[in-house]
Amino acid sequence: MRPTPPDVAPAPAAGASEADAGGALASLHLGVDRTSPVPLYHQLSQQLEEAIEQGALLPGALLGNEIDLAARLGLSRPTVRQAIQALVDKGLLVRRRGVGTQVVQSKVRRSLELSSLYDDLDAAGQSPSTRVLSVDRVPADAAVAAALSVPEGTEVLRLERLRSTNGEPLAVMCNYLPDVGLALSAPALERTGLYRLMRSAGTTLHSAHQTIGARSATAAEAALLDEAPGAPLLTMRRIAYDTTGRTVEYASHYYRASRYSFELQLLVRG
């Protein structure tokens, strides 16, 4: 969390009741800097978002009363309401009638780089788990053959897995691999990520071409991801290459748009 500036309202004293201190916010050091050009509501919204993403505010936690929080920080109630609404709009908070404002499961945000979903979730402390749906060898159809740079009909390894985080389904991943001497089993794929297994077998990934899109979930896809049929999905197709330039993977994944987003860094071209 950001340190509280010296000229902001102090955090509640240790031992204050949750009702007095604002529910789950009691343990957080929140404050606003009135000398900053950043709007007050945005300062508060950023601090709450960081607390959610860093696990200081867990899913299901109640934020308490807006009036109490406004009084605690010396802010107007509309300012606090605007900060909370910004997080409601992002899907991080939800207002429930008769319950109050509650933290919901935050989205998984993933930078666009050549890494595996398992490694990214594990590094973020998101407790990834995998259910293997299929592991088999199939003849490559035209699209798969073109992606892997092999003749159509060549036998390739096809993997389909359901990836979850903190026990909640997140993505369905279908991967095709050429014959690279990699022996894969369902138990191994459930213990760790595909890229870790590839690295352990001596495959060094170097680069990839990736395409991101969106579409609606079919009934079967929705059932796997605990979504409603027609729910929005993010899609990703990736062709990965090793250090020799050989194609070593073709991936076709789809993710719950309600729980997942990609992050990009954009630079001005000089």
Side-chain angles (χ1 to χ4, degrees):
M1 294 297 300
R2 295 187 180 88
T4 303
D7 56 346
V8 302
S17 69
E18 286 195 347
D20 292 338
L25 301 178
S27 62
L28 301 182
H29 295 283
L30 299 173
V32 293
D33 181 358
R34 298 180 185 278
T35 66
S36 170
V38 178
L40 299 179
Y41 86 89
H42 189 63
Q43 293 183 45
L44 178 57
S45 179
Q46 282 185 313
Q47 293 174 69
L48 293 174
E49 184 172 356
E50 286 182 5
I52 292 170
E53 293 185 347
Q54 294 172 5
L57 287 175
L58 298 175
L62 289 170
L63 295 196
N65 191 296
E66 290 179 5
I67 298 176
D68 292 339
L69 181 57
R72 173 186 169 191
L73 296 177
L75 297 173
S76 68
R77 188 177 179 186
T79 297
V80 173
R81 185 184 299 117
Q82 190 175 6
I84 290 176
Q85 186 60 48
L87 298 183
V88 171
D89 294 341
K90 288 185 176 183
L92 298 177
L93 299 177
V94 63
R95 287 188 170 101
R96 302 189 189 280
R97 186 180 299 275
V99 176
T101 303
Q102 194 169 24
V103 179
V104 298
Q105 186 72 274
S106 61
K107 280 191 174 185
V108 173
R109 289 178 170 82
R110 187 179 180 195
S111 299
L112 282 179
E113 57 186 34
L114 186 49
S115 60
S116 75
L117 178 58
Y118 186 96
D119 288 344
D120 290 343
L121 293 174
D122 190 36
Q126 293 279 343
S127 302
S129 59
T130 305
R131 176 158 68 95
V132 176
L133 304 177
S134 66
V135 180
D136 47 24
R137 293 190 173 276
V138 299
D141 62 21
V144 172
L148 292 178
S149 301
V150 298
E152 188 173 349
T154 299
E155 189 176 82
V156 296
L157 186 62
R158 180 183 184 277
L159 320 170
E160 189 170 19
R161 295 160 294 155
L162 173 65
R163 178 66 42 77
S164 298
T165 174
N166 295 318
E168 185 177 356
L170 177 66
V172 174
M173 304 174 296
C174 184
N175 299 74
Y176 296 88
L177 306 179
D179 184 8
V180 292
L182 181 60
L184 296 174
S185 65
L189 288 165
E190 289 179 348
R191 284 194 302 268
T192 189
L194 173 60
Y195 280 8
R196 289 186 184 183
L197 293 171
M198 293 174 70
R199 288 194 296 268
S200 68
T203 298
T204 303
L205 295 168
H206 177 265
S207 60
H209 177 78
Q210 184 162 290
T211 303
I212 297 170
R215 60 177 174 80
S216 299
T218 66
E221 292 167 345
L224 281 172
L225 292 175
D226 195 22
E227 290 279 5
L233 300 177
L234 288 172
T235 63
M236 185 276 288
R237 294 181 183 273
R238 173 187 286 179
I239 301 173
Y241 308 92
D242 67 8
T243 52
T244 69
R246 179 180 57 167
T247 306
V248 292
E249 177 210 23
Y250 170 55
S252 177
H253 300 174
Y254 55 90
Y255 307 81
R256 298 173 68 180
S258 63
R259 291 281 294 107
Y260 190 89
S261 64
F262 291 101
E263 289 188 348
L264 300 86
Q265 182 178 15
L266 305 178
L267 302 175
V268 176
R269 192 181 291 272

